[in-house]
């Protein structure tokens, strides 16, 4: 059985990959499969099991590329940077019928850093703003976000509007959340040198469980 872990060799592969071309990748595909692809599938399943047990049995993890694993190759069609491969792996676990809009938990694995995030697309901005405006629903989310930021130093992304939308007051107590088009709360941590390979998935799951209050709010309200 493949261990849900990423060895020093896997991390070196990720570190080197952006400087390589398709011919090199094809020649080293067996290393990619052994070091990256198979552990990634096991990682998705191991983290999903932890999240289903501790957060919600409805959490979905699909151990394949374009399921819970983002492709390692970059879409360079509209990018000035033509580097063909990423230097990281991106994983997601979601809760809801529509993967693209469901509340989602993320892990971003690079050679030297692991990123964590929770968030969702906002299917209805009118509903989102009404929820944020209402004290009974908006205040608990703001509190949960502030607590995670205080604990981890997280960045809160998605406030794409420069101004608070009308009819809400510019000095609304949750003005920043009213400016969101989408929501993601994210932070990074150094790759854990003191965590054994077999324990890595559990370490990541414990970090994601810090997002419990935000994730449950999104599932309940969106």
């Amino acid at each position: 059985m493949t261990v849900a872990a990423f060895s020093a060799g896997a991390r070196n592969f990720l570190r080197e990959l952006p400087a390589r071309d398709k011919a090199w990748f094809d020649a080293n595909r067996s290393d990619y499969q052994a070091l990256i692809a198979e552990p990634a599938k096991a990682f998705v399943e191991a983290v999903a099991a932890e999240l289903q047990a501790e957060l919600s049995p409805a959490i979905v993890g699909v151990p394949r590329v374009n399921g819970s694993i983002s492709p390692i190759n970059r879409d360079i069609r509209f990018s000035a940077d033509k580097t063909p491969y990423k230097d990281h792996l991106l994983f997601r676990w979601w809760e809801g019928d529509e993967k693209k809009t469901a509340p989602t938990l993320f892990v971003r694995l690079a050679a030297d850093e692991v990123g964590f995030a929770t968030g969702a697309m906002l299917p209805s901005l009118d509903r989102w703003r009404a929820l944020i405006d209402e004290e009974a629903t908006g205040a608990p989310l703001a509190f949960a976000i502030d607590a995670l930021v205080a604990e981890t130093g997280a960045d809160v992304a998605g406030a794409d509007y420069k101004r608070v939308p009308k009819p809400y007051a510019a000095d609304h107590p949750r003005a920043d959340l009213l400016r969101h088009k989408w929501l993601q709360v994210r932070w990074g941590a150094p790759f854990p040198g003191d965590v054994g390979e077999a324990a890595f998935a559990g370490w990541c799951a414990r970090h994601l469980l810090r997002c419990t209050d935000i994730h449950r709010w999104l599932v309940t309200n969106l």
Side-chain angles (χ1 to χ4, degrees), residues 112-137:
D112 299 305
E113 184 180 62
V114 187
F116 304 95
T118 182
M121 302 301 293
L122 305 179
S124 168
L125 288 180
D126 288 341
R127 175 168 174 76
W128 167 260
R129 292 167 184 167
L131 288 165
I132 297 304
D133 179 49
E134 181 66 37
E135 188 70 17
T137 49

Side-chain angles (χ1 to χ4, degrees), residues 191-211:
F191 197 95
D194 58 345
V195 173
E197 289 184 17
F200 180 67
W203 180 83
C204 289
R206 288 192 296 276
H207 275 275
L208 290 177
L209 288 170
R210 291 168 144 179
C211 306

